[in-house]
Amino acid sequence: GFTLVEICISMGIMTVTLVPLLGLMANGLTQVGSNIDKNQAVNICQQVFVAAQQQSFSKLVSATGTTVPSYFTSEGDPVATAGSANIVYTANVTYTTSTATAPTPPLVTLQIKILKTPGGSAGTGNPVASFVGTVSCPDVSGYNAGTD
């Protein structure tokens, strides 16, 4: 068998090696949560860009200078109303229009800031990610502000 001294020494060695590992596990779990948020932010950004591309260009141009919030669940599904307990992420989309002239096509730039806002806390959450992208008028020759 083992003596009491040997058992105490082995317990001390195990304690010295396991305590730092517990600290690493906590850090690892924090990183996993952060990576989940960033992954959802990319998915939400893609949804917002696709929705913008499906709108008429004149509607995007008319939104210039505004910031429009969109709300999403933890799975990235859209939520129609603000203040819902299911809201985990808010995408604040700011629209700006290019001032370039022909032959450059008109562009609308979308700046999307994804915030973690559990319970829909009025858009004052922790920033997760920011993205910038552009949407162009599909038919420049037929574009007429307000009638595309």
Side-chain angles (χ1 to χ4, degrees):
F2 295 106
T3 66
L4 185 60
V5 172
E6 291 172 327
I7 292 174
C8 288
I9 290 173
S10 65
M11 294 286 286
I13 292 171
M14 284 179 49
T15 301
V16 166
T17 57
L18 289 179
V19 167
L21 289 178
L22 292 174
L24 289 175
M25 285 182 59
N27 187 27
L29 290 174
T30 301
Q31 284 298 104
V32 166
S34 175
N35 289 340
I36 289 171
D37 287 341
K38 289 178 183 175
N39 189 30
Q40 284 298 3
V42 169
N43 292 336
I44 289 168
C45 180
Q46 289 175 338
Q47 288 182 48
V48 170
F49 275 127
V50 168
Q53 290 171 338
Q54 292 174 347
Q55 290 184 17
S56 71
F57 192 75
S58 60
K59 186 173 182 181
L60 293 176
V61 170
S62 68
T64 297
T66 63
T67 299
V68 179
S70 299
Y71 305 101
F72 298 88
T73 65
S74 61
E75 290 84 26
D77 298 324
V79 177
T81 59
S84 170
N86 295 332
I87 295 173
V88 175
Y89 301 102
T90 300
N92 289 325
V93 184
T94 304
Y95 299 90
T96 54
T97 305
S98 70
T99 56
T101 59
T104 304
L107 296 175
V108 173
T109 302
L110 282 66
Q111 181 177 6
I112 304 170
K113 183 180 284 186
I114 310 291
L115 304 171
K116 188 162 188 178
T117 55
S121 56
T124 58
N126 296 326
V128 176
S130 292
F131 303 94
V132 175
T134 57
V135 177
S136 64
C137 181
D139 180 13
V140 178
S141 62
Y143 172 70
N144 184 353
T147 61
D148 70 336

